Each structure stands twice: as structure tokens, then as C-alpha cells.
Amino acid sequence: QVQLVESGGGLVQAGGSLRLSCAASGRTIMSYTMGWFRQAPGKEREFVAAMGWSGVITAYADAVKGRFTISRDTARNTVYLQMSRLKPEDTAIYYCAADLTLSAPSLEATDYDYWGQGTQVTVSS
């Protein structure tokens, strides 16, 4: 079983950047497909980005493609979400997720078994 803790959220102006971190403990992230999701007030949780267990295959939501990058540092057992050119519509709680059985990144939140507590990102206009 893996435990996930997100950090790095905050308040940023539109056009700015933030890097979110997801520190994993309990098991190595090399065994897991890792994902980032977000949930804005009054909206459903939505897919942002994911990386397969090999670290090679990635997937992005159309809304963030070209602005966000998912990466990992296996030595630190941490997954990152680098967010650039942020927009007010990126405001949400961002969650890190992991799954041991996925063979490829999934866009479906229900496919992930493990979740962090979330970190708030607020983008002001």
C-alpha cells in the first residue's frame, strides 16, 4: 500500500507557474501508474495528467496540454506536476492518485485506488 502527500499549492497570478509535488511512502512509485486530478467548487473531479509505471508513457487533458508537465524522481519517490501559464480556470484542489494494476495511464478517477489529501491551487486574474 502507498501513502500520498501533495504539496506546493498556493495563490498565483494568471500567467504564473507552480510546481506540485506528490511524495509517496510505503512502496516505490516505480510500481504504480500515477495521476493528477483536480476538482473545482461545484464541479466533478477531472483528469489532469498521468504517467505509466514505466515512466515513459504520459497523458494529459486537452485543457492543460502544452502548459503542464508530469514527471517523477524515483530517488525521492516523488511525482511532480509543473504548471505553467496558469489560468483562473485552473483554480481547483489538485489530487495525486496511484494505482498498482493499471498497465497504462487512465483518465478515469475510479481506476485509481490510492489518493492524497489534495492541495489548493488558486489562480487570480
Side-chain angles (χ1 to χ4, degrees):
Q1 187 168 339
V2 66
Q3 294 79 42
L4 306 172
V5 178
E6 302 96 332
S7 62
L11 173 64
V12 63
Q13 287 189 330
S17 300
L18 279 176
R19 188 179 77 162
L20 305 183
S21 299
C22 173
S25 61
R27 292 191 67 166
T28 173
I29 59 173
M30 293 176 69
S31 302
Y32 291 84
T33 290
M34 304 295 297
W36 285 97
F37 290 78
R38 67 186 182 186
Q39 188 166 16
K43 295 187 176 181
E44 292 188 355
R45 192 167 297 190
E46 65 175 4
F47 170 77
V48 176
M51 174 179 281
W53 62 267
S54 68
V56 175
I57 300 174
T58 58
Y60 294 92
D62 288 343
V64 307
K65 204 170 291 184
R67 299 189 298 123
F68 292 9
T69 302
I70 186 171
S71 63
R72 71 181 188 182
D73 183 335
T74 55
R76 296 180 183 273
N77 217 33
T78 299
V79 176
Y80 302 99
L81 185 68
Q82 178 67 48
M83 305 186 296
S84 303
R85 290 182 282 147
L86 282 160
K87 305 175 181 180
E89 51 263 44
D90 294 319
T91 295
I93 299 174
Y94 283 71
Y95 297 91
C96 177
D99 191 84
L100 190 59
T101 63
L102 289 170
S103 58
S106 171
L107 281 61
E108 299 296 330
T110 53
D111 285 340
Y112 294 82
D113 285 338
Y114 303 99
W115 292 83
Q117 83 289 349
T119 185
Q120 176 71 47
V121 172
T122 303
V123 184
S124 63
S125 57

